[in-house]
Amino acid sequence: MYSERINDFDEKAIAGNKRIPLLGLTGSMAAGKSTVSAILAERGFFIVDADKTAHDVIQTEKVLRKLTNAFGEGILDESGNIDRKKLSECVFGEKNNEVQNKARPRNAENASAERNAAEKKSRVELLNAIVHPAVIESLFEQAEAAKQNSDFPGVVLDVPLLIESGLHKKCDSVILVTANIETRYARIMKRDGLSRREAHARMAAQMPQWKKKRYADYIIENDTTETELHLRVDELIGTLQKKAAENNAQPPCEA
């Protein structure tokens, strides 16, 4: 079953007279967030996909220009678009540093490693400073446009780092998809062909699941079958629709 945390969902006036709720969807690694997102889409919810949005945003003229100014035209493909692999190598790669380090004396290795780490951090921060604001702007532009369509029972922000980025504060409620640790280990190892140690390293780099639960209004546990998951999502949708109906029955707030 999903669990629900008491919150102020009923007391919030959703943007616009239609009061279509803005739902934040997130989950721990390999918990099944993407599957829940797909089920919600099948049920008529409008999904704003952060990963897809980020992929599209970096190809816009404004962001593309900023990225090439920051990292050079070597990140472009033959068509003049951003080559995501080249961009990743430029930001996170070590090839240039390795070439430089071969010419350094041994007593300079430690200092060089610290300098390389600082340079990489700087590149990552620069990339984030360029891309993240544009992605967030696009996410909410899509969400606001969808809210104008009364056919949608809700708009869902599907964001892996919803809580870490602070975007959960912009949502009317937060849905968290969880699974027990052993289930997640098994899924990651099978899906990505990783050892248990490698899977652990990836999970350890994320916010712990227990901490994410503090921010969740609804928790969908995904430890069994996909059929059971469909039932749990449908149960949650019933609760959301009931609360949305209650909200829509309330008179609009006067300015």
Side-chain angles (χ1 to χ4, degrees):
M1 303 294 290
Y2 77 85
S3 60
E4 174 182 350
R5 176 172 65 79
I6 301 301
N7 60 85
D8 59 348
F9 183 96
D10 288 330
E11 300 176 0
K12 292 182 178 179
I14 307 304
N17 293 331
K18 298 170 184 177
R19 300 184 183 181
I20 297 176
L22 179 62
L23 310 170
L25 175 64
T26 192
S28 299
M29 181 178 291
K33 175 187 66 66
S34 296
T35 303
V36 171
S37 181
I39 297 172
L40 290 171
E42 291 174 357
R43 302 298 190 267
F45 287 76
F46 186 90
I47 309 298
V48 183
D49 189 318
D51 288 338
K52 181 180 184 302
T53 298
H55 187 279
D56 294 340
V57 159
I58 66 169
Q59 302 296 353
T60 61
E61 182 179 354
K62 181 179 179 180
V63 175
L64 186 151
R65 183 171 62 252
K66 288 183 178 181
L67 289 173
T68 53
N69 287 341
F71 301 108
E73 295 189 358
I75 62 174
L76 301 178
D77 61 20
E78 294 180 355
S79 301
N81 297 318
I82 297 293
D83 185 313
R84 293 171 66 86
K85 182 178 180 181
K86 291 180 179 179
L87 176 60
S88 179
E89 290 175 350
C90 180
V91 175
F92 301 101
E94 300 288 351
K95 290 183 178 180
N96 291 335
N97 291 334
E98 289 174 358
V99 172
Q100 294 172 3
N101 289 343
K102 288 180 180 179
R104 297 182 188 276
R106 289 184 175 274
N107 59 8
E109 287 182 358
N110 290 338
S112 176
E114 292 177 0
R115 182 163 48 253
N116 291 340
E119 290 174 353
K120 179 185 292 187
K121 181 180 179 181
S122 178
R123 294 194 299 271
V124 172
E125 290 175 346
L126 178 57
L127 174 66
N128 291 341
I130 294 171
V131 175
H132 285 185
V135 170
I136 291 172
E137 180 181 4
S138 180
L139 288 175
F140 285 100
E141 285 179 351
Q142 294 174 66
E144 290 304 317
K147 282 185 178 183
Q148 304 309 310
N149 187 338
S150 59
D151 292 338
F152 296 123
V155 177
V156 178
L157 289 184
D158 181 346
V159 185
L161 301 180
L162 181 81
I163 296 168
E164 294 89 331
S165 66
L167 293 181
H168 68 288
K169 298 176 183 178
K170 303 291 186 180
C171 299
D172 299 302
S173 58
V174 173
I175 302 168
L176 174 67
V177 185
T178 67
N180 69 57
I181 189 69
E182 290 303 323
T183 298
R184 293 167 59 211
Y185 268 129
R187 289 173 180 167
I188 294 173
M189 293 165 66
K190 180 179 180 180
R191 181 189 68 192
D192 300 331
L194 302 177
S195 67
R196 186 180 179 89
R197 177 176 295 182
E198 290 170 329
H200 173 74
R202 290 196 179 186
M203 287 193 288
Q206 292 193 336
M207 178 185 288
Q209 186 167 263
W210 62 265
K211 186 174 291 187
K212 289 186 177 184
K213 289 182 178 180
R214 295 178 177 178
Y215 300 90
D217 299 294
Y218 305 97
I219 298 174
I220 297 179
E221 298 175 356
N222 180 29
D223 293 314
T224 55
T225 65
E226 189 167 328
T227 298
E228 179 65 24
L229 179 61
H230 275 75
L231 294 174
R232 292 177 180 180
V233 173
D234 284 340
E235 184 179 355
L236 172 59
I237 290 173
T239 298
L240 292 171
Q241 290 175 333
K242 179 181 178 180
K243 291 193 173 185
E246 293 172 355
N247 280 336
N248 288 329
Q250 297 176 5
C253 298
E254 296 183 0

